[in-house]
Amino acid sequence: MRTIDRVLAVAMAVSLAGITGCGVQSAPPAGSSTSAPSPDAPGQSGDAVVTIRDFAYEVPASVKPGATVTVTNADSAPHTFTAKDNRAFDVEVPAGATVILQAPAVPGEYGIICTFHPRMTGTLVVK
């Protein structure tokens, strides 16, 4: 099973759990939130939020190696969050959807590109 399929399956399961109301919790467990946090809100330790808005990536200054990265697509078009050079990550983010992935474990600067919109680029700094 490809990485993108696994990520989408996890995102769908998390969404379905939220829709079906699996009980009332005072706070959702880490990684199981059905709504993406605001890009300005502080994440949990080591977590990061990327927002795709107006055909541009809004990326934090840096993320920790192996951190949970929540990618939310605020556009009406689908996008990808793809590492340019070494394919360290490659996920499709449907319009209006949120996908969760793990940042690369190796520190460095990872160029980002949307394979659907090649002029859409950015950099994910892992340190």
Side-chain angles (χ1 to χ4, degrees):
M1 183 179 252
R2 294 183 339 179
T3 301
I4 189 168
D5 293 336
R6 279 187 242 136
V7 171
L8 289 175
V10 169
M12 183 178 295
V14 169
S15 296
L16 287 175
I19 291 170
T20 59
C22 292
V24 177
Q25 296 177 325
S26 58
S32 67
S33 175
T34 58
S35 62
S38 160
D40 300 325
Q44 296 178 7
S45 177
D47 292 349
V49 176
V50 173
T51 302
I52 301 170
R53 185 185 334 266
D54 298 327
F55 288 79
Y57 296 107
E58 297 174 6
V59 223
S62 67
V63 301
K64 294 181 181 182
T68 299
V69 180
T70 302
V71 182
T72 299
N73 182 354
D75 284 342
S76 59
H79 295 293
T80 69
F81 186 75
T82 304
K84 282 184 180 180
D85 297 332
N86 62 6
R87 296 295 209 207
F89 47 87
D90 182 12
V91 294
E92 184 174 336
V93 190
T98 296
V99 175
I100 298 170
L101 64 117
Q102 191 170 27
V106 178
E109 292 188 9
Y110 294 83
I112 306 165
I113 190 164
C114 174
T115 58
F116 300 146
H117 310 100
R119 291 187 181 184
M120 229 178 103
T121 61
T123 302
L124 181 68
V125 177
V126 178
K127 66 178 182 177

Coordinates of all heavy atoms in Angstrom, one line a residue, residues 1-75:
M1 N 0.8 -1.2 0.0 CA 0.0 0.0 0.0 C 0.9 1.2 0.0 O 1.8 1.3 0.8 CB -0.9 0.0 1.3 CG -1.9 1.1 1.3 SD -2.9 1.0 2.8 CE -4.4 0.5 2.1
R2 N 0.6 2.2 -0.9 CA 1.4 3.4 -1.0 C 1.2 4.3 0.2 O 0.2 4.2 0.9 CB 1.1 4.2 -2.2 CG 1.4 3.5 -3.5 CD 1.1 4.3 -4.7 NE 0.1 5.3 -4.4 CZ -0.4 6.2 -5.3 NH1 0.1 6.2 -6.5 NH2 -1.2 7.1 -5.0
T3 N 2.2 5.1 0.5 CA 2.2 6.0 1.7 C 1.0 6.9 1.6 O 0.3 7.1 2.6 CB 3.5 6.8 1.7 OG1 4.6 6.0 1.9 CG2 3.4 7.8 2.9
I4 N 0.7 7.4 0.4 CA -0.5 8.3 0.3 C -1.8 7.6 0.7 O -2.7 8.1 1.3 CB -0.6 9.0 -1.1 CG1 -1.6 10.1 -1.1 CG2 -0.8 8.0 -2.1 CD1 -1.6 10.9 -2.3
D5 N -1.9 6.3 0.3 CA -3.1 5.6 0.6 C -3.2 5.4 2.1 O -4.3 5.5 2.6 CB -3.1 4.2 -0.1 CG -3.2 4.3 -1.7 OD1 -3.7 5.4 -2.1 OD2 -2.7 3.4 -2.4
R6 N -2.1 5.1 2.7 CA -2.1 4.9 4.2 C -2.5 6.2 4.9 O -3.4 6.2 5.8 CB -0.8 4.4 4.7 CG -0.6 2.9 4.5 CD 0.7 2.5 5.2 NE 1.5 2.0 4.1 CZ 2.8 2.2 3.9 NH1 3.5 2.9 4.7 NH2 3.4 1.7 2.8
V7 N -2.0 7.3 4.5 CA -2.3 8.6 5.1 C -3.7 8.9 4.9 O -4.4 9.4 5.8 CB -1.3 9.7 4.5 CG1 -1.8 11.1 5.0 CG2 0.1 9.4 4.9
L8 N -4.2 8.7 3.7 CA -5.6 9.0 3.4 C -6.6 8.1 4.2 O -7.6 8.5 4.7 CB -5.9 8.9 1.9 CG -5.3 10.1 1.1 CD1 -5.5 9.8 -0.4 CD2 -5.8 11.4 1.5
A9 N -6.2 6.8 4.4 CA -7.0 5.9 5.1 C -7.1 6.3 6.6 O -8.1 6.3 7.2 CB -6.4 4.5 5.0
V10 N -6.0 6.8 7.2 CA -5.9 7.3 8.5 C -6.8 8.5 8.7 O -7.6 8.7 9.6 CB -4.5 7.5 9.0 CG1 -4.5 8.2 10.3 CG2 -3.8 6.2 9.1
A11 N -6.6 9.4 7.7 CA -7.4 10.7 7.8 C -8.9 10.4 7.7 O -9.7 11.0 8.4 CB -7.0 11.6 6.7
M12 N -9.3 9.5 6.8 CA -10.7 9.1 6.7 C -11.2 8.5 8.0 O -12.3 8.8 8.4 CB -10.9 8.2 5.5 CG -12.4 7.8 5.3 SD -12.6 6.7 3.9 CE -12.1 7.8 2.5
A13 N -10.4 7.6 8.6 CA -10.9 6.9 9.8 C -11.1 7.9 10.9 O -12.0 7.9 11.7 CB -9.8 5.9 10.2
V14 N -10.1 8.9 11.0 CA -10.2 9.9 12.0 C -11.5 10.8 11.8 O -12.2 11.1 12.7 CB -9.0 10.8 12.1 CG1 -9.2 12.0 12.9 CG2 -7.8 10.0 12.6
S15 N -11.7 11.1 10.5 CA -12.9 11.9 10.2 C -14.2 11.2 10.5 O -15.1 11.8 11.0 CB -12.9 12.3 8.7 OG -11.8 13.2 8.5
L16 N -14.3 9.9 10.1 CA -15.4 9.1 10.4 C -15.7 9.0 11.9 O -16.8 9.0 12.3 CB -15.3 7.8 9.7 CG -15.5 7.7 8.2 CD1 -15.2 6.3 7.7 CD2 -16.8 8.2 7.8
A17 N -14.6 8.8 12.7 CA -14.8 8.7 14.1 C -15.4 10.0 14.7 O -16.3 10.0 15.5 CB -13.5 8.4 14.8
G18 N -15.0 11.1 14.2 CA -15.6 12.4 14.6 C -17.0 12.6 14.2 O -17.8 13.1 14.9
I19 N -17.3 12.2 13.0 CA -18.7 12.3 12.4 C -19.7 11.4 13.2 O -20.8 11.8 13.5 CB -18.7 12.0 10.9 CG1 -18.0 13.1 10.1 CG2 -20.1 11.8 10.4 CD1 -17.7 12.7 8.7
T20 N -19.2 10.2 13.5 CA -20.1 9.3 14.2 C -20.3 9.5 15.7 O -21.1 8.9 16.3 CB -19.7 7.8 13.9 OG1 -18.4 7.6 14.4 CG2 -19.7 7.4 12.5
G21 N -19.5 10.4 16.2 CA -19.6 10.8 17.6 C -19.2 9.6 18.5 O -20.1 9.1 19.2
C22 N -18.0 9.3 18.6 CA -17.6 8.2 19.4 C -17.5 8.5 20.9 O -16.6 8.0 21.6 CB -16.2 7.7 18.9 SG -16.3 7.0 17.3
G23 N -18.3 9.3 21.4 CA -18.3 9.7 22.8 C -17.9 11.1 23.0 O -17.3 11.7 22.1
V24 N -18.1 11.6 24.2 CA -17.7 13.0 24.5 C -16.4 13.0 25.2 O -16.2 12.2 26.2 CB -18.8 13.7 25.4 CG1 -18.4 15.1 25.7 CG2 -20.1 13.7 24.6
Q25 N -15.4 13.8 24.8 CA -14.1 13.9 25.4 C -13.9 15.3 25.7 O -14.3 16.2 25.0 CB -13.0 13.4 24.5 CG -13.1 11.9 24.1 CD -12.0 11.5 23.2 OE1 -11.6 12.3 22.3 NE2 -11.5 10.3 23.3
S26 N -13.2 15.6 26.8 CA -12.9 17.0 27.1 C -11.8 17.5 26.2 O -11.8 18.7 25.9 CB -12.4 17.1 28.6 OG -11.3 16.3 28.8
A27 N -10.9 16.6 25.7 CA -9.9 17.0 24.7 C -9.6 15.8 23.9 O -9.4 14.7 24.5 CB -8.6 17.5 25.4
P28 N -9.5 15.9 22.6 CA -9.2 14.8 21.8 C -7.8 14.3 22.0 O -6.9 15.1 22.3 CB -9.4 15.3 20.3 CG -9.3 16.7 20.4 CD -9.7 17.1 21.8
P29 N -7.5 13.0 21.9 CA -6.2 12.5 22.0 C -5.3 13.1 20.9 O -5.8 13.4 19.8 CB -6.3 11.0 21.8 CG -7.7 10.7 21.7 CD -8.5 11.9 21.6
A30 N -4.0 13.1 21.1 CA -3.1 13.7 20.1 C -3.2 12.9 18.8 O -3.3 11.7 18.8 CB -1.6 13.5 20.6
G31 N -3.3 13.7 17.7 CA -3.3 13.1 16.4 C -4.7 12.6 16.0 O -4.8 12.1 14.9
S32 N -5.7 12.9 16.8 CA -7.1 12.4 16.4 C -8.1 13.5 16.2 O -9.2 13.2 16.1 CB -7.6 11.4 17.4 OG -7.8 12.0 18.6
S33 N -7.6 14.7 16.2 CA -8.5 15.8 16.0 C -9.1 15.8 14.6 O -8.4 15.5 13.6 CB -7.7 17.1 16.2 OG -8.6 18.2 15.9
T34 N -10.4 16.1 14.5 CA -11.1 16.1 13.2 C -11.0 17.4 12.6 O -11.4 17.6 11.4 CB -12.5 15.6 13.3 OG1 -13.2 16.4 14.2 CG2 -12.6 14.1 13.8
S35 N -10.7 18.5 13.3 CA -10.5 19.8 12.7 C -9.1 20.3 12.9 O -8.5 20.0 13.9 CB -11.5 20.8 13.3 OG -11.2 20.9 14.7
A36 N -8.6 20.9 11.9 CA -7.2 21.4 11.9 C -7.1 22.6 12.8 O -8.0 23.5 12.8 CB -6.7 21.7 10.5
P37 N -6.0 22.7 13.6 CA -5.8 23.9 14.4 C -5.5 25.1 13.6 O -5.1 24.9 12.4 CB -4.6 23.5 15.3 CG -4.0 22.3 14.7 CD -5.0 21.7 13.8
S38 N -5.7 26.2 14.1 CA -5.4 27.4 13.4 C -3.9 27.5 13.1 O -3.1 27.1 14.0 CB -5.8 28.7 14.2 OG -5.2 29.8 13.8
P39 N -3.4 28.0 12.0 CA -2.0 28.1 11.8 C -1.3 29.0 12.8 O -0.1 28.8 13.0 CB -1.8 28.7 10.4 CG -3.2 28.9 9.9 CD -4.2 28.5 10.9
D40 N -2.0 29.9 13.5 CA -1.4 30.7 14.5 C -1.4 30.1 15.9 O -0.8 30.6 16.8 CB -2.2 32.1 14.6 CG -2.1 32.8 13.2 OD1 -1.1 32.7 12.5 OD2 -3.1 33.4 12.8
A41 N -2.2 29.0 16.1 CA -2.3 28.4 17.4 C -1.1 27.5 17.6 O -0.6 26.9 16.7 CB -3.6 27.5 17.4
P42 N -0.6 27.5 18.9 CA 0.5 26.7 19.2 C 0.1 25.2 19.1 O -0.9 24.9 19.6 CB 0.9 27.1 20.6 CG -0.3 27.7 21.2 CD -1.1 28.3 20.0
G43 N 0.9 24.4 18.5 CA 0.7 23.0 18.4 C 1.2 22.3 19.6 O 1.7 22.8 20.5
Q44 N 0.9 21.0 19.7 CA 1.4 20.2 20.7 C 2.9 20.1 20.5 O 3.4 20.3 19.4 CB 0.8 18.8 20.7 CG -0.7 18.9 21.0 CD -1.4 17.5 21.0 OE1 -0.7 16.5 20.9 NE2 -2.7 17.5 21.1
S45 N 3.6 19.6 21.5 CA 5.1 19.5 21.5 C 5.5 18.8 20.2 O 5.2 17.6 20.0 CB 5.6 18.8 22.7 OG 7.0 18.7 22.6
G46 N 6.3 19.4 19.3 CA 6.8 18.8 18.2 C 5.9 18.8 17.0 O 6.3 18.3 15.9
D47 N 4.6 19.2 17.1 CA 3.7 19.1 16.0 C 3.7 20.4 15.2 O 4.1 21.5 15.7 CB 2.3 18.9 16.6 CG 2.1 17.6 17.2 OD1 3.0 16.7 17.0 OD2 1.0 17.3 17.8
A48 N 3.3 20.3 14.0 CA 3.4 21.5 13.1 C 2.1 21.5 12.2 O 1.5 20.5 12.0 CB 4.6 21.4 12.2
V49 N 1.8 22.8 11.8 CA 0.6 23.0 11.0 C 1.0 23.7 9.7 O 1.7 24.7 9.7 CB -0.5 23.8 11.7 CG1 -1.6 24.1 10.8 CG2 -0.9 23.1 13.0
V50 N 0.6 23.1 8.5 CA 0.8 23.7 7.2 C -0.5 24.0 6.7 O -1.4 23.1 6.7 CB 1.6 22.8 6.3 CG1 1.7 23.4 4.9 CG2 3.0 22.5 6.8
T51 N -0.8 25.2 6.2 CA -2.0 25.5 5.5 C -1.8 25.9 4.1 O -0.8 26.6 3.8 CB -2.7 26.7 6.2 OG1 -2.9 26.4 7.6 CG2 -4.0 27.1 5.6
I52 N -2.6 25.4 3.2 CA -2.5 25.7 1.8 C -3.7 26.7 1.6 O -4.8 26.3 1.8 CB -2.7 24.5 0.9 CG1 -1.6 23.4 1.2 CG2 -2.7 24.9 -0.6 CD1 -1.8 22.1 0.5
R53 N -3.3 27.9 1.2 CA -4.3 28.9 1.0 C -3.9 29.8 -0.2 O -2.8 30.2 -0.3 CB -4.4 29.8 2.3 CG -5.5 30.8 2.2 CD -5.5 31.7 3.5 NE -5.0 31.2 4.7 CZ -5.7 30.6 5.7 NH1 -7.0 30.4 5.5 NH2 -5.1 30.1 6.7
D54 N -4.9 30.1 -1.1 CA -4.6 30.9 -2.2 C -3.4 30.4 -3.1 O -2.6 31.2 -3.5 CB -4.4 32.4 -1.8 CG -5.6 33.0 -1.1 OD1 -6.7 32.6 -1.5 OD2 -5.4 33.8 -0.2
F55 N -3.4 29.1 -3.2 CA -2.4 28.4 -4.1 C -1.0 28.7 -3.5 O 0.0 29.0 -4.3 CB -2.5 28.8 -5.5 CG -3.7 28.2 -6.2 CD1 -5.0 28.7 -6.0 CD2 -3.6 27.0 -6.9 CE1 -6.1 28.0 -6.5 CE2 -4.7 26.4 -7.5 CZ -5.9 26.9 -7.3
A56 N -0.8 28.8 -2.2 CA 0.5 29.0 -1.6 C 0.5 28.1 -0.3 O -0.5 27.9 0.3 CB 0.7 30.4 -1.3
Y57 N 1.8 27.7 0.1 CA 2.0 27.0 1.3 C 2.3 28.0 2.4 O 3.2 28.8 2.3 CB 3.2 26.0 1.2 CG 3.0 24.9 0.2 CD1 3.6 24.9 -1.0 CD2 2.1 23.9 0.4 CE1 3.5 23.9 -2.0 CE2 1.9 22.8 -0.5 CZ 2.6 22.9 -1.7 OH 2.5 21.9 -2.6
E58 N 1.6 27.9 3.6 CA 1.9 28.6 4.8 C 2.6 27.6 5.7 O 1.9 26.8 6.3 CB 0.6 29.2 5.4 CG 0.0 30.2 4.5 CD -1.4 30.7 5.1 OE1 -1.7 30.3 6.2 OE2 -2.1 31.4 4.3
V59 N 3.9 27.7 5.8 CA 4.7 26.7 6.6 C 5.3 27.3 7.8 O 5.7 28.5 7.7 CB 5.8 26.1 5.7 CG1 6.0 24.6 5.8 CG2 5.7 26.5 4.2
P60 N 5.4 26.6 8.9 CA 6.1 27.1 10.1 C 7.6 27.4 9.8 O 8.1 26.8 8.8 CB 5.9 26.1 11.1 CG 5.6 24.8 10.4 CD 4.9 25.2 9.1
A61 N 8.3 28.2 10.6 CA 9.7 28.4 10.4 C 10.5 27.1 10.3 O 11.4 27.0 9.5 CB 10.2 29.4 11.5
S62 N 10.1 26.2 11.2 CA 10.8 24.9 11.2 C 9.9 23.9 11.9 O 9.0 24.3 12.7 CB 12.2 25.0 11.8 OG 12.1 25.2 13.2
V63 N 10.2 22.6 11.7 CA 9.5 21.5 12.4 C 10.6 20.6 12.9 O 11.7 20.5 12.4 CB 8.6 20.8 11.5 CG1 7.5 21.7 10.9 CG2 9.3 20.0 10.4
K64 N 10.2 19.8 14.0 CA 11.2 18.9 14.5 C 11.2 17.6 13.7 O 10.2 17.2 13.1 CB 10.8 18.6 16.0 CG 10.9 19.7 16.9 CD 10.5 19.3 18.3 CE 10.6 20.6 19.2 NZ 10.3 20.2 20.6
P65 N 12.4 16.9 13.7 CA 12.4 15.7 12.9 C 11.4 14.7 13.4 O 11.2 14.5 14.6 CB 13.8 15.2 13.2 CG 14.6 16.4 13.5 CD 13.6 17.3 14.2
G66 N 10.7 14.1 12.5 CA 9.6 13.1 12.9 C 8.4 13.7 13.5 O 7.5 12.9 13.9
A67 N 8.2 15.0 13.5 CA 7.0 15.6 14.1 C 5.8 15.3 13.2 O 5.9 15.0 12.1 CB 7.2 17.1 14.1
T68 N 4.6 15.3 13.9 CA 3.4 15.2 13.2 C 3.1 16.5 12.5 O 3.1 17.6 13.1 CB 2.2 14.9 14.2 OG1 2.5 13.7 14.9 CG2 0.9 14.8 13.5
V69 N 2.8 16.4 11.2 CA 2.5 17.6 10.4 C 1.1 17.5 9.9 O 0.7 16.5 9.2 CB 3.5 17.7 9.2 CG1 3.2 19.0 8.4 CG2 4.9 17.8 9.7
T70 N 0.3 18.5 10.2 CA -1.1 18.6 9.8 C -1.2 19.5 8.6 O -0.8 20.7 8.7 CB -2.0 19.1 10.9 OG1 -1.9 18.2 12.0 CG2 -3.5 19.1 10.5
V71 N -1.6 19.0 7.5 CA -1.7 19.9 6.2 C -3.1 20.1 5.9 O -3.9 19.1 5.7 CB -1.0 19.2 5.0 CG1 -1.0 20.1 3.8 CG2 0.5 18.9 5.4
T72 N -3.6 21.3 5.9 CA -5.0 21.7 5.7 C -5.0 22.5 4.4 O -4.3 23.4 4.2 CB -5.6 22.5 6.8 OG1 -5.5 21.8 8.0 CG2 -7.0 22.9 6.5
N73 N -5.9 22.0 3.5 CA -6.1 22.7 2.2 C -7.3 23.6 2.3 O -8.5 23.1 2.3 CB -6.3 21.7 1.1 CG -6.5 22.3 -0.3 OD1 -6.5 23.5 -0.4 ND2 -6.5 21.5 -1.3
A74 N -7.1 24.9 2.4 CA -8.2 25.9 2.5 C -8.7 26.3 1.1 O -9.6 27.2 1.0 CB -7.8 27.1 3.3
D75 N -8.1 25.8 0.1 CA -8.5 26.2 -1.3 C -9.7 25.3 -1.8 O -10.0 24.2 -1.2 CB -7.3 26.0 -2.3 CG -6.3 27.2 -2.1 OD1 -6.7 28.2 -1.6 OD2 -5.2 27.0 -2.6

